[in-house]
Amino acid sequence: LEGSYNKDTMEWPMFQHDAQHTGRFKVANYWPVLSSIGNKTIDEGKLLNFSISATDLDKDSLLYEAWEYREDYDLNADGNMDYRELLTLDKYFGQAVDPDNPESVRCDLNKDGVIDIDDLVTLAQNYGHLPQGASFDKATRIFSWTPTFEQAGTYKITFSVLDLDEAGNRKGGINSETITIVVKSQCIF
């Protein structure tokens, strides 16, 4: 059997039957593996610049993304913000909020008791944002930020990699890491 459960990432690759119907399965898609990024510390007014990388056993094209993590938009409570939040929202779309189901409650972003298009719009508006002055170049995979002297604090940034098919469509594999960036205050007298 090609492919197996990965106890470290808790992922089970997607399988498909082989064309010869031998009863064997082959992996339809290996998910990309994002290299560890790790937390960062920077002083106000100093440049933080680093690149991220990933591998994919299928040699698929990869799409890299980055945005500021907000716990209230982590709908599936996995510690990352990525397109799986859309899948979670879709699961409850059009339903009234079930107060006994924490995931359902998290999906009601507008707190109006119904999971609807307004929640989807709210979620979409909060994707892709980075702290003021920060940038992430998807082509070069470089994150760059020089925090101003008013930006001391702690920031959480989610970096994700998705695999793409030949036409540039998402194949379903994703790997994310949310890091903490601490911006230390630099007193100027």
Side-chain angles (χ1 to χ4, degrees), residues 134-150:
S135 65
F136 180 70
D137 186 313
K138 294 179 182 185
T140 62
R141 305 176 318 275
I142 294 175
F143 177 85
S144 184
W145 185 25
T146 304
T148 67
F149 290 97
E150 293 82 35

Side-chain angles (χ1 to χ4, degrees), residues 16-75:
Q16 66 185 15
H17 285 284
D18 65 337
Q20 291 76 32
H21 302 288
T22 63
R24 294 189 57 198
F25 292 90
K26 70 176 193 169
V27 175
N29 182 36
Y30 285 100
W31 287 26
V33 176
L34 185 64
S35 299
S36 179
I37 303 166
N39 297 329
K40 312 288 183 192
T41 301
I42 186 74
D43 293 330
E44 291 173 320
K46 302 288 182 179
L47 174 65
L48 175 64
N49 196 48
F50 60 90
S51 64
I52 67 171
S53 63
T55 58
D56 188 280
L57 289 176
D58 300 319
K59 307 290 186 223
D60 294 325
S61 295
L62 300 175
L63 172 66
Y64 295 86
E65 297 179 334
W67 51 84
E68 188 168 8
Y69 171 85
R70 290 188 46 190
E71 187 174 355
D72 50 338
Y73 293 99
D74 183 5
L75 303 182

